[in-house]
Amino acid sequence: MQAEIAARARVEIDVVSNPEFLKEGAAIDDFLRPGTAFVIGSPSERARSIMAELYAPFVRTEGPMYFMDPRSAE
């Protein structure tokens, strides 16, 4: 999928799989106060770093971030 998107893009891109485990009716609250772990799927170290930086303000606990390939993340 990333190759297909990158072939049409005019800038460098990375595709990230970031499944969310949100309860129905509580998605915003779940996002702002995440559980104990995050799952990030990307082969790109640059994308992993960006995702870790984006989530940093929302990490209220010392919960782990699991970085893996996109297929495993899904």
Side-chain angles (χ1 to χ4, degrees), residues 55-74:
Y55 268 113
F58 300 104
V59 178
R60 305 237 190 294
T61 65
E62 297 286 326
M65 285 192 145
Y66 294 108
F67 295 102
M68 58 193 68
D69 64 273
R71 187 176 195 154
S72 295
E74 289 297 325

Side-chain angles (χ1 to χ4, degrees), residues 22 25-33:
L22 306 173
I28 294 174
D29 191 50
D30 285 353
F31 175 79
L32 294 174
R33 293 178 189 84

Side-chain angles (χ1 to χ4, degrees), residues 1 10 18 26 29 33-34 44 46 48-49 51 66 70 74:
M1 173 173 57
R10 295 181 182 170
N18 182 214
D29 191 50
R33 293 178 189 84
S44 164
R46 180 179 80 103
R48 292 175 180 197
S49 176
M51 293 301 292
Y66 294 108
E74 289 297 325

